[in-house]
Amino acid sequence: TITLSIGKHNSNGFDVAFIFQHHIQAQNIIVIHPGSHYLRIGRASDVNPVRILHAIARRRKPGGAVHRDCVLPPVVEKSKELLQELEDCRLQITHTLQSCVQSNGQRRYATPPQQIAAFNRRSQPEVIPDSETEWHDKDGSDVVIGEDVLLLNPDGEYNVHFPIRRGELNLHGGVGGSMFGIMSDLQTIWEHVLQTRLFIKPSEMRQYRAVLVIPDIYNRAHLREYVTLLLNQIGFGCCFLVQDHVAATFGAGLGYACVVDVGDEKTSVSCVEDGISHPNTRVRFDYGGADVTQVFYWLLQKCAFPYRECNERTPLDGILLRRLKEDFGHVNLDVCGSVEKSFSVQHPGMTKRNYTLQVGDEALVAPLSIFFTELLAITGANRTAPKTQKWCSSQPHPEDCFDAEYLRETGRRNKENLEQSAIESGALANTEAPDEDLVVDGLEQERERETKANDRDYLQPGGQLVGLDQAIIQSIERCSTDELKRKMYGCILIVGGGIKFPGIGSWLQSQLARKIPAGYRSEQSIVSSPKDMDPEITSWKGAAVMSCLESVVELWLTEPEWTRYGLRILREKAVFMW
């Protein structure tokens, strides 16, 4: 660190030496927030992180197996029953919207889909001559990273991998789906960004510290792989891990909040208080902004989407549909009727085309699919099992010698020793049985808590996931005290890039107002854009703030410590309940 020997105080009374030292320290801290779609990485002193598509393409070996992860989750087979389910839900949302009123008190109205479809069928693209480009396969690289992956021919010689899907490591049985393959992909992508975007040489890596933002519901074995990657493979001097929901509260400047994180492929909720995420309140669903994109595309097809060659399975079309959802989607009840929109399509191998189309309430129905989850049946995400935090008894690891099994065995041994000493001293001479409560059995207590945290609370009677509003209520209702519940209802923080629709906060607030227990209805408050910050980077920013606090000095984990003690040191130093 560098300090100033002169100019001790400025005119405002600030300690200039401290500020300068703080800035130098922040420049040497790299904050990494890996997501299913984007990787956000940057120095703690940066205003915004570098954002890059979290994907890698590797040239296929001759005769090798083909594997291509898609930008959007694949749609399920559209059976007659599925299409009827989707249509019934669409009509239900349409009727709900028709019963709503605008801000001026007038009833909403909607343009019939048939009228919109008639306009879109007549719409012809404007072709821009001499605008053709080529695929980038001819560059000869064996590895392609980030947005350049999108410019590779989908039928070419590359396998495409997204290392993280649905909020966790993308383990699968295909090519590159092993733990070793995924960690190699992560190392290649992260080192590429560190060297080409942050301009850090491999020889200088030991001078830098890393902060990794991990999911609020974590797999302990995966955390071990992450730390090994940071310290042993990439070669950072030290690191520590922070949960994304905890980081989000730091980024928003809140002491407590019920954090609602809607990403590209997952949605998670948990209650955070004083830097601690309460394990019982954590839940994660396998749906996010990408599933909403597929819903939006289905709605566009129903009203004769003019770009008829669109194929959501190809990377560039997947990105196009994602952009259209972000540009057109909203939850503004004052917008009624059809609106004319335009967009451009330019793929390698074809000329650029400008399209004009009309959209009506489709732009409003798609974002509401996270509340009416029947629409998410298009990707099957509405019936995936919710994820809750597994206790350490369910995640044993040979390196962790102080896990629940160890605590149970040593607890029983200590209990027997105490009983034997008491009997020898005569203290238990007149009792029929020794006191059963001398030592609490840690493992049994955990199992009891795990039973209470029933995943069925997040499922509707038919086995379908509850909507986001109901998930928030279920999470908060798992808080241990009424006072804590009141605090969480009073501060609901929305983060993530999958829910950035104008008006979504107001809709969520109105839905919660009708469903939360009567005693808490006056408390609720939605924070959707803290400090005018992009909700996509709230967690990254919070991790950057947290990494520069004086109180985190003891949390840094060094490479010699990790090599010597392994998972045991993480149990001692982690900032979350192990």
Side-chain angles (χ1 to χ4, degrees):
T1 59
I2 302 173
T3 57
L4 294 177
S5 58
I6 57 174
K8 187 67 177 173
H9 292 84
N10 65 9
S11 58
N12 293 324
F14 290 114
D15 191 325
V16 177
F18 172 77
I19 294 172
F20 190 66
Q21 181 177 342
H22 175 86
H23 180 70
I24 295 299
Q25 178 190 356
Q27 282 189 319
N28 278 36
I29 297 174
I30 305 299
V31 181
I32 306 171
H33 186 189
S36 302
H37 190 74
Y38 285 122
L39 166 69
R40 295 174 183 85
I41 181 170
R43 290 177 169 85
S45 57
D46 293 342
V47 176
N48 294 308
V50 171
R51 188 179 78 163
I52 184 174
L53 188 72
H54 208 187
I56 183 171
R58 295 185 182 274
R59 188 179 293 277
R60 198 179 309 119
K61 295 180 179 178
V66 177
H67 180 85
R68 289 193 185 93
D69 288 327
C70 296
V71 171
L72 299 177
V75 297
V76 299
E77 185 180 350
K78 293 177 181 175
S79 64
K80 191 174 180 180
E81 293 78 10
L82 173 66
L83 291 173
Q84 188 60 50
E85 181 182 358
L86 292 172
E87 184 61 19
D88 290 345
C89 184
R90 186 190 72 81
L91 290 172
Q92 179 191 353
I93 298 175
T94 300
H95 292 151
T96 301
L97 292 174
Q98 285 176 349
S99 65
C100 295
V101 295
Q102 303 176 56
S103 58
N104 60 10
Q106 296 181 356
R107 295 289 290 271
R108 287 193 82 254
Y109 63 90
T111 302
Q114 299 85 349
Q115 183 177 326
I116 294 174
F119 175 92
N120 290 337
R121 285 193 192 97
R122 294 192 303 268
S123 177
Q124 296 298 320
E126 176 195 358
V127 180
I128 309 299
D130 302 324
S131 58
E132 194 169 324
T133 59
E134 293 184 352
W135 297 107
H136 286 196
D137 295 56
K138 298 177 182 178
D139 292 351
S141 304
D142 288 334
V143 177
V144 179
I145 293 168
E147 277 72 14
D148 291 341
V149 170
L150 303 173
L151 300 176
L152 298 173
N153 192 326
D155 301 319
E157 302 175 350
Y158 287 87
N159 286 343
V160 177
H161 306 276
F162 281 80
I164 296 178
R165 299 264 89 165
R166 299 298 185 191
E168 57 185 26
L169 297 181
N170 185 20
L171 297 168
H172 57 82
V175 177
S178 66
M179 180 65 79
F180 176 81
I182 289 170
M183 300 315 291
S184 297
D185 287 344
L186 288 176
Q187 180 179 353
T188 304
I189 296 170
W190 296 3
E191 286 182 340
H192 170 81
V193 179
L194 289 168
Q195 293 167 26
T196 63
R197 302 291 292 274
L198 300 182
F199 309 108
I200 300 174
K201 299 176 183 176
S203 59
E204 300 172 346
M205 205 63 73
R206 283 273 172 241
Q207 302 170 22
Y208 288 84
R209 305 170 175 223
V211 180
L212 180 66
V213 181
I214 61 168
D216 61 314
I217 296 179
Y218 53 84
N219 183 312
R220 295 164 72 213
H222 294 179
L223 298 192
R224 178 187 179 279
E225 298 297 332
Y226 276 130
V227 177
T228 300
L229 171 63
L230 292 172
L231 297 180
N232 299 127
Q233 306 299 325
I234 297 178
F236 283 106
C238 53
C239 74
F240 78 79
L241 312 180
V242 56
Q243 289 169 293
D244 51 4
H245 288 193
V246 172
T249 59
F250 275 87
L254 300 171
Y256 58 86
C258 174
V259 181
V260 182
D261 184 354
V262 184
D264 192 62
E265 292 205 342
K266 59 89 179 173
T267 293
S268 54
V269 184
S270 79
C271 296
V272 179
E273 181 187 32
D274 297 333
I276 298 295
S277 170
H278 292 270
N280 275 343
T281 67
R282 298 176 201 162
V283 65
R284 186 175 77 227
F285 305 112
D286 284 349
Y287 65 76
D291 300 275
V292 176
T293 302
Q294 288 286 29
V295 172
F296 186 54
Y297 181 45
W298 173 73
L299 293 168
L300 288 177
Q301 287 176 303
K302 284 184 68 67
C303 60
F305 187 46
Y307 174 34
R308 295 170 185 84
E309 302 83 8
C310 182
N311 180 357
E312 81 276 10
R313 292 186 295 276
T314 61
L316 283 175
D317 281 341
I319 292 294
L320 170 68
L321 291 170
R322 189 178 192 272
R323 179 166 55 81
L324 294 183
K325 175 206 66 177
E326 292 173 350
D327 291 346
F328 299 171
H330 66 89
V331 191
N332 184 354
L333 298 177
D334 287 345
V335 177
C336 303
S338 61
V339 180
E340 202 166 295
K341 299 280 189 180
S342 60
F343 64 95
S344 300
V345 178
Q346 183 171 23
H347 295 349
M350 62 181 286
T351 54
K352 182 178 180 180
R353 301 178 184 186
N354 296 330
Y355 289 86
T356 301
L357 81 160
Q358 281 187 357
V359 289
D361 275 357
E362 291 81 14
L364 211 157
V365 171
L368 294 183
S369 59
I370 57 176
F371 299 94
F372 299 86
T373 54
E374 293 90 341
L375 277 182
L376 300 177
I378 196 158
T379 60
N382 65 324
R383 293 189 180 275
T384 55
K387 313 287 192 306
T388 50
Q389 184 64 59
K390 290 184 179 179
W391 301 99
C392 57
S393 58
S394 306
Q395 298 186 58
H397 197 282
E399 279 188 20
D400 187 10
C401 40
F402 294 102
D403 62 6
E405 194 68 31
Y406 170 85
L407 295 175
R408 182 179 68 167
E409 293 303 320
T410 54
R412 284 180 174 168
R413 200 175 306 124
N414 291 339
K415 180 178 178 179
E416 291 167 1
N417 292 341
L418 284 169
E419 290 170 356
Q420 188 61 38
S421 301
I423 290 171
E424 290 174 0
S425 65
L428 295 178
N430 298 324
T431 59
E432 296 180 2
D435 187 356
E436 294 293 333
D437 296 326
L438 281 173
V439 177
V440 176
D441 190 325
L443 187 61
E444 298 304 322
Q445 188 183 38
E446 279 193 344
R447 283 177 180 161
E448 183 183 347
R449 286 158 66 190
E450 198 164 5
T451 304
K452 288 180 181 177
N454 195 333
D455 294 353
R456 293 197 199 104
D457 291 344
Y458 296 106
L459 296 173
Q460 296 176 17
Q464 184 164 267
L465 291 175
V466 298
L468 183 61
D469 48 347
Q470 190 62 40
I472 293 170
I473 292 172
Q474 291 292 351
S475 175
I476 294 177
E477 285 300 309
R478 293 185 179 208
C479 291
S480 54
T481 66
D482 288 343
E483 180 58 31
L484 186 55
K485 291 177 186 177
R486 180 167 283 104
K487 289 168 69 174
M488 294 304 156
Y489 279 120
C491 188
I492 298 171
L493 173 64
I494 302 177
V495 297
I499 197 173
K500 293 199 303 181
F501 301 107
I504 196 79
S506 300
W507 179 274
L508 176 59
Q509 190 149 6
S510 67
Q511 295 300 304
L512 288 174
R514 296 188 296 125
K515 296 180 180 179
I516 66 176
Y520 304 115
R521 284 181 187 166
S522 62
E523 308 290 337
Q524 67 176 83
S525 174
I526 309 288
V527 182
S528 56
S529 184
K531 302 179 178 179
D532 296 325
M533 188 190 307
D534 186 341
E536 279 192 38
I537 67 168
T538 305
S539 293
W540 182 89
K541 182 66 75 174
V545 170
M546 189 176 175
S547 68
C548 298
L549 298 176
E550 291 184 22
S551 53
V552 302
V553 171
E554 298 178 3
L555 303 179
W556 292 108
L557 177 62
T558 65
E559 189 274 332
E561 285 177 319
W562 179 248
T563 302
R564 181 173 182 181
Y565 299 109
L567 214 56
R568 290 172 287 168
I569 195 71
L570 197 57
R571 171 186 280 276
E572 292 180 15
K573 287 200 169 189
V575 293
F576 42 87
M577 295 183 186
W578 193 249

